[in-house]
């Protein structure tokens, strides 16, 4: 059995990786030429690249923290619900957005937040007299990130609760009984029993997701636009633009950016592995 | 232990593969292709310069005869309307039969038709990663004028000057100037335009004019136009919509909002014999200010910034006219019919029939600057050069595809109207569109031998219009007498022809090709920011000059030295 698996791994996982050599080549129309570290020099001196790199970290980490926090809060809330039917209905409703594609999600929110007469939010706010001029949620650099986080919370919070609800279901009921005997209020039970029991899971979820922070593309790509590049362009969209939206792309350059992203990703995975070993006694690799 | 062994093996395999692959193959390929490209260019240049037309004709005929093209791979955009949902199979089948008969051997046509809005990106990917004969790489493809100028200097396009000069269709060309103008100073021709470019005109909904108590004859200046937009803008309705305030990535850039742009041209163009950057000119600053004012006043639909052409036009002819717009500048001729039909389909202004739309003559400010609506540079067909220094493959592609495309008869009819008995017919028949709707129901009846268009394959409630070649724009008309004389289309074409001027020639420079995508992004961003009131036009242009000034100077120097 060893040989077929070995061949499979070589062909499917390792053979495509040979493409990384092109990061040391100029790869354009009718020209494949070795250029050494030229692309890396260009990349590190390109302020657009650094902007994308910074945006990736800011968007990804903030999104991770906010959605995790939202998932924890919602999980605790669901866990406290006494009515089983309502609990199930709520769980199903909040899971649903996760199964919508990012394209559909972005289309819905763009329509909702539009400044034209079809924009539900702006028209509603105007009709209530709260605003006189439409707010350009999707094109204002100050507003784009909050909108992005909000959409992410809407889409991913429900799915994020799965693992926390499983943990909550496993908490020893005796702990709650002991808290009751000690006269704890509902909030105190949550704070002194539920949250400490969840802490380990929260840390694990954060660590596991931290390794993936550079993999940010689809959600940004479907929501960003020229006017908010400053705060929204991430490494993957930067690579996409330089590869697919250029008349004569240089695949060498974008491969170099991709390689850099992968290397940073590897370092993050190793760091998370170390963190995981410390927190739960075993690594993620 | 097994795990460790596997890890060592995998690592070794990886290192060995990398070492093997990194040895020199790409560099060698590069050398080969460079040499081949140089040889090819030199050979064709010499040929063009030294050989007589007669000798070239003999040579090309011999070359074509020596090479038997059995599979033709073409990449086309949405202008081939006989797409996979609209009878493309029949088109291909009839094309193969007709061309095989002409060539005397079997030939198969393979059409790759990427999504229209992503065409440019798709082509870039195909041409960069593919190679002739790999089953994906196009032997020939359509390019817009902007794309064509970007690729013209790369060496991947075949110089078809000799083939074009010796083509059989030369004797029937009525508009030779279109392709002659595309030749380089050295007489090389890298693209072939079977039609002239066409352009956009401004359409106004008659019912909106009536409701505002306006007449199109009274809209003569920008102030008149702007007041009309203001009159249209109320209760959720807006004056005008377009696919972007300007289309910075495709010449002629300004044709979707010409009244606002007027004499501006936000790109590199030739002025008094010198290449200049129109984006830095005062005319562009003025145009951006007009657009910003229009946006602030709400007469320009807020969806304009992000709208694709499809989104803009669908909103314009939507059945919900309460959030629609009164004005839309779009393609002339056939599109007048298409827009009218779509309004009809959505039951908008049914009582007005074919008089739903009026075409606005160019306003005074356009007449005083450009002289009229802009007739864009024609899209072209190009043939890819495999770089082997031998023209036989390329000549065979020309003969099979482009020579037959304008044969005046069977094949040209396929490209013009589509497949026989699928898109058009000469057999007696009767059909009815919208048979279930008494208001829209229309009967059609044709006698045997009478040329007519049939119902659209994917929409039996509308009549097919045309395929790839617009019969009115084509440079060598059909000789078989097949003509669909829709009076509305004729009226649209006549109006445009009477009110248009040729667009400035697009620049072709190596530096521009390299930076153009980034330049387009920055120009679009600055334009959008100005229009949205985030910065002044003056600040935007100053920012542009600071970022791009040196590069633009370099590009202009390159162009002016040509």
């Amino acid at each position: 059995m060893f040989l077929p698996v070995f061949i499979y791994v070589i062909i499917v996982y390792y053979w495509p990786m040979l493409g990384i050599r092109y990061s040391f080549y100029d790869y354009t129309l009718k020209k494949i030429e070795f250029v050494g570290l030229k692309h890396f020099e260009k990349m590190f001196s390109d302020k657009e690249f650094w902007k994308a790199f910074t945006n990736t970290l800011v968007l990804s980490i903030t999104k991770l923290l906010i959605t995790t926090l939202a998932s924890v809060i919602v999980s605790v809330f669901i866990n406290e619900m006494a009515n089983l039917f309502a609990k199930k209905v709520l769980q199903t409703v909040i899971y649903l957005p996760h199964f919508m594609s990012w394209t559909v999600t972005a289309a819905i929110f763009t329509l909702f937040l539009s400044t034209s007469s079809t924009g539900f939010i702006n028209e509603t706010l105007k009709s209530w007299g709260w605003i006189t001029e439409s707010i350009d949620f999707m094109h204002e650099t100050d507003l784009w990130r909050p909108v992005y986080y909000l959409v992410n919370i809407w889409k991913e919070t429900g799915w994020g609760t799965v693992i926390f609800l499983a943990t909550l279901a496993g908490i020893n009921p005796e702990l709650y009984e002991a808290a009751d005997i000690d006269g704890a209020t509902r909030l105190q039970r949550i704070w002194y029993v539920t949250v400490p029991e969840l802490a380990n899971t929260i840390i694990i979820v954060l660590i596991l997701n931290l390794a993936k922070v550079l993999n940010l593309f689809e959600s940004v790509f479907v929501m960003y636009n020229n006017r908010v590049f400053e705060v929204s362009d991430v490494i993957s969209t930067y690579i996409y633009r330089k590869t697919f939206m250029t008349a004569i792309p240089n695949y060498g350059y974008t491969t170099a950016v991709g390689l850099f992203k992968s290397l940073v990703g590897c370092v993050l995975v190793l760091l998370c592995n170390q963190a995981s070993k410390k927190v739960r006694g075993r690594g993620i690799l | 232990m097994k795990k460790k062994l596997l890890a060592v093996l995998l690592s070794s395999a990886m290192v060995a593969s990398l070492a093997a692959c990194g040895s020199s193959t790409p560099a060698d390929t590069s050398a080969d292709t460079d040499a081949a490209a140089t040889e090819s260019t030199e050979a064709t240049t010499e040929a063009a310069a030294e050989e007589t037309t007669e000798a070239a004709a003999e040579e090309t005929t011999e070359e074509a005869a020596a090479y038997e093209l059995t599979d033709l791979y073409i990449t086309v955009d949405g202008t081939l309307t006989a797409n996979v949902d609209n009878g493309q199979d029949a088109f291909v089948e009839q094309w193969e039969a007709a061309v095989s008969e002409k060539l005397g051997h079997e030939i198969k046509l393979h059409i790759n038709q990427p999504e229209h809005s992503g065409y440019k990106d798709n082509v870039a990917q195909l041409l960069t990663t593919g190679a002739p004969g790999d089953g994906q790489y196009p032997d020939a493809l359509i390019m817009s004028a902007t794309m064509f100028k970007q690729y013209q200097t790369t060496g991947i396009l075949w110089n078809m000057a000799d083939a074009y000069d010796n083509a059989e269709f030369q004797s029937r060309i009525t508009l030779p100037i279109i392709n002659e103008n595309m030749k380089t100073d050295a007489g090389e021709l890298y693209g072939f335009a079977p039609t002239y470019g066409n352009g956009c005109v401004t359409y106004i909904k008659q019912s909106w004019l009536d409701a505002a108590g306006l007449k199109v004859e009274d809209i003569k200046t920008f102030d008149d136009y702007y007041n009309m937009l203001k009159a249209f803008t109320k209760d959720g309705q807006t004056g005008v919509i377009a696919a972007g305030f300007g289309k910075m990535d495709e010449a002629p850039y300004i044709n979707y909002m010409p009244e606002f742009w007027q004499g501006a041209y936000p790109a590199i163009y030739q002025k008094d014999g010198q290449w200049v950057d129109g984006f830095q000119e005062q005319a562009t600053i003025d145009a951006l200010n007009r657009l910003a004012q229009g946006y602030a006043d709400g007469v320009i639909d807020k969806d304009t910034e992000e709208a694709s052409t499809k989104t803009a036009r669908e909103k314009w002819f939507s059945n919900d006219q309460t959030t629609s717009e009164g004005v839309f500048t779009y393609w002339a001729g056939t599109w007048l019919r298409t827009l009218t039909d779509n309004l009809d389909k959505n039951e908008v202004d049914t009582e007005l029939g074919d008089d739903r739309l009026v075409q606005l003559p160019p306003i005074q400010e356009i007449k005083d600057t450009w002289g009229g609506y802009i007739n864009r540079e024609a899209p072209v067909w190009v043939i890819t050069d495999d770089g082997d220094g031998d023209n036989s493959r390329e000549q065979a592609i020309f003969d099979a595809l482009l020579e037959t495309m304008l044969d005046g008869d069977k094949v040209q009819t396929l490209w013009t109207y589509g497949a026989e008995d699928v898109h058009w017919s000469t057999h007696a028949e009767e059909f009815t569109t919208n048979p279930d709707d008494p208001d829209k129901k229309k009967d059609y009846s044709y006698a045997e031998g009478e040329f007519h268009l049939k119902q659209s394959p994917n929409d039996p409630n509308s009549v097919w219009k045309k395929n790839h070649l617009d019969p009115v724009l084509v440079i060598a008309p059909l000789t078989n007498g097949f003509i669909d004389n829709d009076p509305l289309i004729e009226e649209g074409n006549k109006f445009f022809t009477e009110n248009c001027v040729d667009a400035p020639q697009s620049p072709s420079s190596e530096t521009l090709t390299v930076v153009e995508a980034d330049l387009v992004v920055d120009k679009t961003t600055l334009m959008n920011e100005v229009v949205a009131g985030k910065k002044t036009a003056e600040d935007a242009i100053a920012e542009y000059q600071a970022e791009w000034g040196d590069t633009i100077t370099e590009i202009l120097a390159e162009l002016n030295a040509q």
Side-chain angles (χ1 to χ4, degrees):
Chain A
M1 279 306 290
F2 170 75
L3 197 60
V5 173
F6 179 72
I7 291 169
Y8 173 81
V9 169
I10 287 286
I11 291 174
V12 176
Y13 294 101
Y14 283 79
W15 185 256
M17 284 171 67
L18 298 177
I20 63 174
R21 72 185 185 279
Y22 290 123
S23 55
F24 304 101
Y25 288 83
D26 259 343
Y27 189 148
T28 58
L29 286 170
K30 297 189 90 174
K31 182 184 168 195
I32 305 175
E33 191 176 58
F34 183 76
V35 292
L37 297 172
K38 181 182 127 182
H39 296 314
F40 293 93
E41 286 167 18
K42 183 185 167 192
M43 177 174 77
F44 291 132
S45 59
D46 183 2
K47 61 176 191 245
E48 264 188 72
F49 165 76
W50 285 114
K51 189 175 69 189
F53 185 68
T54 314
N55 285 340
T56 310
L57 294 178
V58 171
L59 286 175
S60 234
I61 292 171
T62 313
K63 185 186 83 160
L64 174 61
L65 293 175
I66 291 176
T67 50
T68 307
L69 181 68
S71 298
V72 170
I73 292 169
V74 173
S75 304
V76 172
F77 178 71
I78 291 173
N79 193 51
E80 291 295 316
M81 286 175 77
N83 186 323
L84 194 65
F85 176 74
K87 197 173 177 175
K88 292 282 178 199
V89 169
L90 182 63
Q91 272 182 276
T92 310
V93 168
I94 62 170
Y95 286 170
L96 282 178
H98 172 78
F99 298 101
M100 287 174 74
S101 83
W102 268 110
T103 312
V104 175
T105 305
I108 291 170
F109 276 89
T110 304
L111 200 65
F112 262 53
L113 299 170
S114 167
T115 51
S116 77
S117 51
T118 52
F120 173 74
I121 301 291
N122 273 310
E123 289 304 303
T124 306
L125 293 176
K126 275 187 199 168
S127 68
W128 289 347
W130 289 12
I131 56 169
T132 50
E133 288 292 313
S134 293
I135 301 168
D136 203 349
F137 293 101
M138 305 301 281
H139 294 96
E140 294 282 352
T141 46
D142 296 339
L143 295 175
W144 190 87
R145 279 184 181 170
V147 169
Y148 176 76
Y149 298 138
L150 202 71
V151 175
N152 271 278
I153 288 172
W154 178 81
K155 193 172 184 309
E156 299 302 339
T157 296
W159 190 247
T161 60
V162 173
I163 196 164
F164 296 118
L165 283 171
T167 308
L168 289 171
I171 296 176
N172 188 348
E174 289 174 2
L175 292 172
Y176 289 110
E177 285 165 18
D180 287 339
I181 291 165
D182 288 346
T185 62
R186 197 167 196 178
L187 277 177
Q188 283 173 324
R189 281 192 342 161
I190 292 172
W191 188 249
Y192 292 109
V193 179
T194 311
V195 172
E197 286 295 309
L198 270 181
N200 213 15
T201 309
I202 294 170
I203 291 167
I204 289 166
V205 166
L206 284 174
I207 287 171
L208 292 177
N209 284 314
L210 200 61
K212 300 187 287 186
V213 292
L214 293 183
N215 297 339
L216 195 61
F217 175 69
E218 201 182 357
S219 58
V220 173
F221 185 70
V222 293
M223 286 180 67
Y224 83 157
N225 58 74
N226 282 35
R227 266 209 271 151
V228 292
F229 273 175
E230 195 67 30
V231 294
S232 64
D233 196 20
V234 293
I235 292 186
S236 298
T237 53
Y238 173 82
I239 292 172
Y240 181 88
R241 272 210 326 280
K242 297 283 177 189
T243 309
F244 299 112
M245 297 175 80
T246 303
I248 318 283
N250 189 334
Y251 285 79
Y253 178 66
T254 48
T255 307
V257 181
L259 179 60
F260 175 77
K261 184 187 147 205
S262 302
L263 288 175
V264 175
C266 279
V267 171
L268 281 172
V269 169
L270 292 173
L271 287 176
C272 291
N273 187 44
Q274 289 301 317
S276 173
K277 275 181 183 168
K278 281 198 174 159
V279 172
R280 55 178 195 163
R282 66 175 194 277
I284 56 174
L285 296 177
Chain B
M1 190 60 197
K2 272 184 185 172
K3 269 188 182 175
K4 282 185 180 171
L5 179 68
L6 183 63
V8 169
L9 276 170
L10 286 172
S11 306
S12 313
M14 179 76 187
V15 171
S17 311
L18 270 175
C21 290
S23 58
S24 68
T25 316
D28 291 345
T29 310
S30 162
D32 288 346
T33 49
D34 283 352
T38 312
E39 272 176 33
S40 167
T41 313
E42 280 172 7
T44 48
T45 311
E46 279 168 22
E50 291 169 15
E51 289 174 10
T52 62
T53 309
E54 202 176 310
E58 280 171 19
E59 190 193 329
T60 49
T61 312
E62 281 168 19
E63 280 168 354
Y67 189 95
E68 189 171 296
L69 187 73
T70 53
D71 288 273
L72 176 64
Y73 293 87
I74 63 170
T75 299
V76 295
D77 58 15
T79 59
L80 183 77
T81 49
N83 55 35
V84 286
D85 300 323
N86 262 315
Q88 193 171 90
D89 285 352
F91 167 78
V92 169
E93 192 184 317
Q94 292 184 22
W95 185 93
E96 286 174 352
V99 176
S100 297
E101 189 186 326
K102 272 181 188 292
L103 298 179
H105 63 80
E106 289 289 310
I107 182 164
K108 294 202 95 48
L109 178 66
H110 307 268
I111 298 177
N112 172 25
Q113 189 167 21
E115 206 266 313
H116 190 75
S117 61
Y119 183 74
K120 196 169 52 174
D121 309 333
N122 203 292
V123 163
Q125 203 182 349
L126 278 175
L127 294 177
T128 308
T129 56
D134 68 6
Q136 283 289 318
Y137 194 84
D139 292 320
L141 65 153
I142 295 169
M143 284 188 176
S144 69
T146 309
M147 282 175 79
F148 172 56
K149 291 299 164 84
Q150 288 167 338
Y151 284 95
Q152 187 172 282
T153 56
T154 61
I156 66 156
L157 305 186
W158 183 55
N159 172 16
M160 60 176 83
D162 290 339
Y164 169 76
D165 288 341
N166 299 305
E168 185 273 334
F169 57 64
Q170 279 291 347
S171 58
R172 289 181 295 102
I173 286 186
T174 54
L175 284 166
I177 193 74
I178 304 290
N179 285 291
E180 290 301 327
N181 277 349
M182 286 197 303
K183 286 184 176 172
T184 65
D185 292 341
E188 294 159 341
L189 181 69
Y190 292 98
F192 167 69
T195 61
Y196 71 84
N198 202 14
C200 294
V201 297
T202 296
Y203 299 109
I204 310 173
K205 288 171 186 160
Q206 181 63 58
S207 60
W208 288 49
L209 279 171
D210 294 341
L214 295 168
K215 285 191 164 57
V216 71
E217 305 84 69
D218 298 332
I219 315 297
K220 291 188 169 134
T221 65
F222 180 70
D223 286 344
D224 298 336
Y225 172 82
Y226 201 79
N227 287 332
M228 173 185 69
L229 298 185
K230 275 185 168 171
F232 287 171
T233 305
K234 59 182 178 191
D235 305 328
Q237 294 182 319
T238 318
V240 60
I241 191 169
F245 306 116
K247 198 159 170 48
M248 295 294 152
D249 62 341
E250 195 171 314
Y253 316 105
I254 57 170
N255 56 343
Y256 288 145
M257 293 205 117
E259 289 81 11
F260 284 90
W261 285 99
Q262 296 177 11
Y265 202 72
I268 291 172
Y269 73 109
Q270 257 182 325
K271 189 180 181 183
D272 305 326
Q274 283 289 303
W275 289 95
V276 296
D277 182 12
F279 197 76
Q280 301 182 44
E281 292 181 335
Q282 185 59 40
T284 295
I285 293 178
D286 296 341
L288 291 175
N289 284 330
R290 279 189 292 272
L291 285 162
Q293 187 63 50
Y295 189 83
D297 289 347
V299 301
I300 299 176
D301 192 295
K302 305 284 184 195
D303 285 340
T304 294
E305 182 173 347
E306 294 291 322
S308 63
T309 49
K310 186 171 182 282
T311 318
R313 65 179 185 244
E314 284 182 356
K315 193 170 180 206
W316 194 68
F317 55 60
S318 152
N319 58 3
D320 179 13
Q321 288 288 298
T322 59
T323 56
S324 189
E325 308 77 18
V327 179
F328 186 48
T329 302
Y330 211 58
W331 298 99
T334 307
W335 270 102
L336 173 57
R337 164 55 69 200
T338 308
L339 292 173
T340 303
D341 283 358
N342 276 293
L343 285 166
D344 187 53
K345 197 183 288 178
N346 289 323
E347 299 180 346
V348 179
D349 304 334
T350 312
E351 69 286 357
L352 291 173
D354 279 357
D355 297 325
R356 286 177 175 89
L357 301 178
V358 284
Q359 301 175 93
L360 176 70
I363 57 171
Q364 196 58 46
E365 288 83 353
I366 296 177
K367 283 184 188 162
D368 292 344
T369 49
W370 290 111
Y373 290 120
I374 306 272
N375 176 34
R376 68 170 173 175
E377 288 177 279
V380 295
W381 278 92
V382 298
I383 292 172
T384 53
D385 191 339
D386 62 6
D388 64 359
D390 174 10
N391 290 330
S392 54
R393 166 188 164 271
E394 292 79 7
Q395 180 66 45
I397 294 167
F398 183 92
D399 291 346
L401 181 70
L402 304 184
E403 179 77 272
T404 61
M405 188 181 282
L406 293 188
D407 69 350
D409 193 14
K410 246 185 200 174
V411 185
Q412 187 167 341
T413 306
L414 278 165
W415 287 106
T416 308
Y417 294 116
E420 186 174 6
D421 292 330
V422 175
H423 301 105
W424 61 273
S425 179
T426 54
H427 299 302
E429 72 172 323
E430 291 178 351
F431 60 82
T432 305
T433 53
N434 297 297
D436 304 327
D437 185 341
D439 293 336
K440 295 163 79 178
K441 183 178 167 187
K442 196 170 176 187
D443 296 319
Y444 296 82
S445 176
Y446 300 97
E448 183 66 25
E450 186 182 1
F451 173 81
H452 62 274
L453 297 175
K454 293 169 70 71
Q455 289 155 290
S456 293
N458 73 344
D459 180 10
N461 286 326
S462 70
V463 176
W464 181 253
K465 291 176 187 67
K466 70 172 181 67
N467 193 13
H468 173 59
L469 299 179
D470 191 321
V472 183
L473 307 179
V474 74
I475 59 167
L478 281 164
T479 54
N480 56 13
F482 289 173
I483 184 140
D484 173 57
N485 46 3
D486 180 332
L488 196 62
I489 295 176
E490 281 182 5
E491 182 195 323
N493 280 313
K494 184 168 174 282
F495 178 85
F496 180 69
T497 313
E498 287 169 357
N499 290 288
C500 76
V501 291
D502 285 339
Q505 195 189 354
S506 296
S508 180
S509 133
E510 282 183 37
T511 308
L512 180 60
T513 297
V514 172
V515 300
E516 188 146 32
D518 291 334
L519 196 59
V520 165
V521 168
D522 280 5
K523 286 202 290 191
T524 307
T525 307
L526 289 169
M527 174 183 69
N528 291 346
E529 285 175 344
V530 171
V531 177
K534 297 294 156 196
K535 51 180 67 147
T536 65
E538 288 78 6
D539 286 349
I541 301 303
E543 200 177 306
Y544 170 80
Q545 284 167 337
E547 178 74 26
W548 289 99
D550 293 345
T551 314
I552 296 295
T553 306
E554 190 185 333
I555 293 167
L556 294 179
E558 252 176 50
L559 290 165
N560 285 318
Q562 282 173 6

